[in-house]
Amino acid sequence: MESKIRYMEEKDRQHILEMMRIFYASDAVFTNGSEEIFNIDISNCVNDNPYIEGYVFENGKNIQGYAMLAKSFSTEFGKPCIWVEDIYIKDEYRGLGIGSMFLTFIEEKYPHSLFRLEVEAENESAIHVYKKCGYDVLPYMEMKKAMK
């Protein structure tokens, strides 16, 4: 059965939470996150927050993975910026082209945008997919400051 992409819904919360726990505990992510943050993220995805979108990948009734996008504007490039914040595909569905399908989907949905994502250097399979889809490595150091 063919994979489909749809918006995340409240009914998906427990499935998404399970996947987020695995994703954020893996080497693919620098931070471990928390249950509180995971729930806040999902709530914002399903409650029409204009800055974040959540998606589910499924075939029939089987959820294969999820993704979250954050929207901003790049003054450096003078266009909207779509950040692929999370993209997670369950082990048994990897290698089926779901990641590439999703990247094509968002490029078609936001055709005049800049697309950015973060990937850990050790995540070679993800890097391969991203490069195959036309993503380039940026020579930036990213910094952050979290306000409480």
Side-chain angles (χ1 to χ4, degrees):
M1 181 172 277
E2 187 176 312
S3 297
K4 296 190 188 301
I5 301 167
R6 65 169 173 80
Y7 284 112
M8 191 179 290
E9 299 173 14
E10 183 60 42
K11 69 179 183 173
D12 303 316
R13 183 177 294 271
Q14 290 309 311
H15 292 292
I16 303 299
L17 283 170
E18 291 169 19
M19 291 184 286
M20 290 180 85
R21 290 179 194 120
I22 295 167
F23 181 52
Y24 279 84
S26 76
D27 291 339
V29 182
F30 182 70
T31 60
N32 290 340
S34 70
E35 289 293 311
E36 179 184 12
I37 292 171
F38 299 161
N39 275 293
I40 289 169
D41 290 346
I42 294 168
S43 292
N44 279 293
C45 285
V46 301
N47 290 327
D48 296 326
N49 182 313
Y51 302 108
I52 187 168
E53 292 179 0
Y55 295 91
V56 170
F57 317 131
E58 66 181 359
N59 64 351
K61 295 192 179 216
N62 296 320
I63 292 181
Q64 300 169 301
Y66 79 96
M68 292 183 187
L69 304 179
K71 301 175 191 177
S72 66
F73 189 87
S74 172
T75 57
E76 181 179 0
F77 293 96
K79 57 177 67 181
C81 181
I82 306 299
W83 280 90
V84 181
E85 289 288 341
D86 288 19
I87 184 167
Y88 175 81
I89 300 164
K90 292 179 179 178
D91 286 341
E92 62 267 32
Y93 299 109
R94 292 184 185 161
L96 300 178
I98 297 168
S100 297
M101 178 182 71
F102 180 68
L103 295 174
T104 299
F105 170 82
I106 63 172
E107 289 167 13
E108 290 172 358
K109 183 173 181 177
Y110 298 104
H112 303 291
S113 299
L114 171 71
F115 298 93
R116 295 184 77 161
L117 53 82
E118 295 175 5
V119 61
E120 293 296 318
E122 297 81 20
N123 195 349
E124 294 176 12
S125 60
I127 292 170
H128 174 75
V129 170
Y130 302 144
K131 285 185 174 182
K132 184 177 83 173
C133 290
Y135 285 72
D136 297 314
V137 175
L138 291 173
Y140 291 19
M141 176 191 320
E142 187 169 337
M143 299 175 72
K144 72 172 179 89
K145 179 179 180 180
M147 302 300 287
K148 299 212 181 227

